[in-house]
């Protein structure tokens, strides 16, 4: 079974509108972390936002917010006021287990969602 | 902020050649680095965890003798693709985390990746 599921291969949004990218996860660990990364066509991976399993409030970073619904095991990324530069591949990733050492920090990535922002 | 440098950014070489890719953490120490492989339009797949001063930990299905990893210092890990063949052509990307901060909020920082093309 996939640990990270991103059901939207592609999404389109009009400039200045908000968009939600879906991510569901599967883990039996109580302690875990969820990350979103952006990958432009040039290939680099850009960290956007993090949500810890024990965090009670949804994470926010500028125009990015994470809609964390623990019971449903979902961690959707919301991008507000979309910009043309937001067009990229977006990956949801999970770190399982507590952060007790480097080897426990490996990430499992979803298949990604290609976001296209239209002018 | 934390920066990871990866070199070279692009390699084109003949079949049978060995190719070395370097991953450096520029402003922090990383006892652990990670090597990923990404095929076009697909997700990142973890190949191995590189541990400073010890052997790398390889994911299931990754050939240890094919993909040699050396982590000789706290700021440098190298991946050598030995006797490369066309099927090894892919995008290879490394990541590292600042392990001086024992805080699971710290994300992995990625290099810009290496596009390897074997003719």
């Amino acid at each position: 079974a996939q640990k990270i599921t991103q059901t939207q291969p592609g999404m389109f949004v009009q400039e200045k509108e908000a968009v939600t990218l879906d991510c569901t996860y599967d883990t039996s660990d109580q302690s875990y972390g969820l990350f979103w990364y952006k990958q432009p066509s040039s290939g680099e991976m850009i960290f956007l936002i993090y949500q810890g399993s024990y965090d009670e409030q949804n994470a926010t970073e500028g125009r990015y917010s994470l809609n964390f619904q623990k019971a449903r095991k979902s961690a959707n990324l919301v991008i507000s006021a979309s910009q043309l530069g937001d067009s990229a591949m977006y990956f949801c990733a999970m770190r399982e287990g507590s952060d007790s050492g480097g080897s426990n920090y490996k990430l499992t990535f979803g298949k990604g969602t290609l976001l296209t922002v239209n002018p | 902020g934390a920066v990871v440098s990866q070199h070279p950014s692009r390699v084109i070489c003949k079949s049978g050649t060995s190719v070395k890719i370097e991953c450096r953490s520029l402003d922090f120490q990383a006892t652990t680095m990670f090597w990923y492989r990404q095929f076009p339009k697909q997700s990142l797949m973890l190949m191995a965890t590189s541990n400073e001063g010890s052997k790398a930990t390889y994911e299931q299905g990754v050939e240890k003798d094919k993909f040699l990893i050396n982590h000789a210092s706290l700021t440098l890990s190298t991946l050598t693709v030995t006797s490369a063949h066309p099927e090894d052509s892919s995008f290879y990307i490394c990541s590292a985390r600042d392990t001086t901060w024992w805080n699971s909020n710290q994300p992995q920082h990625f290099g810009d990746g290496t596009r390897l093309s074997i003719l």
Side-chain angles (χ1 to χ4, degrees):
Chain A
Q2 291 185 29
K3 290 190 174 183
I4 295 287
T5 303
Q6 294 181 253
T7 57
Q8 307 152 314
M11 286 285 285
F12 293 89
V13 65
Q14 286 296 122
E15 193 177 7
K16 299 181 184 179
E17 293 186 351
V19 63
T20 298
L21 306 183
D22 295 341
C23 173
T24 58
Y25 59 92
D26 182 25
T27 181
S28 57
D29 288 348
Q30 295 300 310
S31 178
Y32 53 88
L34 298 157
F35 301 79
W36 277 92
Y37 284 87
K38 171 185 178 182
Q39 186 180 41
S41 57
S42 50
E44 70 269 28
M45 294 287 285
I46 302 167
F47 166 71
L48 297 178
I49 197 167
Y50 166 83
Q51 181 84 42
S53 58
Y54 293 118
D55 295 341
E56 295 184 352
Q57 292 191 335
N58 288 341
T60 60
E61 288 287 348
R63 294 187 299 112
Y64 305 107
S65 60
L66 202 153
N67 184 0
F68 182 46
Q69 298 187 42
K70 195 170 181 177
R72 298 178 61 182
K73 292 188 176 179
S74 73
N76 299 339
L77 176 70
V78 180
I79 305 174
S80 62
S82 297
Q83 302 172 357
L84 295 178
D86 293 335
S87 293
M89 197 74 172
Y90 288 79
F91 290 99
C92 179
M94 178 172 65
R95 167 192 57 79
E96 292 181 276
S98 60
D99 183 24
S100 61
S103 61
N104 292 337
Y105 203 87
K106 62 181 181 180
L107 298 178
T108 303
F109 285 84
K111 293 186 176 181
T113 297
L114 181 61
L115 176 66
T116 302
V117 180
N118 295 316
Chain B
V3 177
V4 174
S5 173
Q6 187 172 340
H7 178 80
S9 59
R10 189 175 188 94
V11 179
I12 302 173
C13 59
K14 295 181 179 180
S15 183
T17 306
S18 291
V19 178
K20 180 186 282 189
I21 303 169
E22 293 187 348
C23 182
R24 293 181 185 272
S25 55
L26 296 185
D27 55 357
F28 65 96
Q29 294 182 334
T31 56
T32 303
M33 294 184 178
F34 301 89
W35 288 96
Y36 295 84
R37 183 173 183 176
Q38 185 181 29
F39 290 107
K41 301 187 187 301
Q42 294 190 22
S43 186
L44 278 71
M45 297 299 296
L46 179 67
M47 298 175 66
T49 302
S50 174
N51 304 301
E52 188 267 335
S54 64
K55 292 182 179 180
T57 304
Y58 289 83
E59 295 300 302
Q60 190 173 9
V62 178
E63 298 177 59
K64 301 178 182 181
D65 297 331
K66 177 74 170 176
F67 299 100
L68 300 180
I69 291 173
N70 184 275
H71 195 149
S73 76
L74 287 172
T75 59
L76 174 64
S77 174
T78 61
L79 168 68
T80 301
V81 183
T82 62
S83 187
H85 290 95
E87 58 266 29
D88 298 322
S89 298
S90 188
F91 186 65
Y92 294 86
I93 191 165
C94 70
S95 72
R97 187 170 68 97
D98 186 348
T99 51
T100 59
W101 291 93
W102 292 102
N103 183 337
S104 59
N105 286 352
Q106 296 303 309
Q108 287 188 22
H109 296 280
F110 286 81
D112 287 346
T114 298
R115 295 193 186 279
L116 176 62
S117 299
I118 308 298
L119 305 178

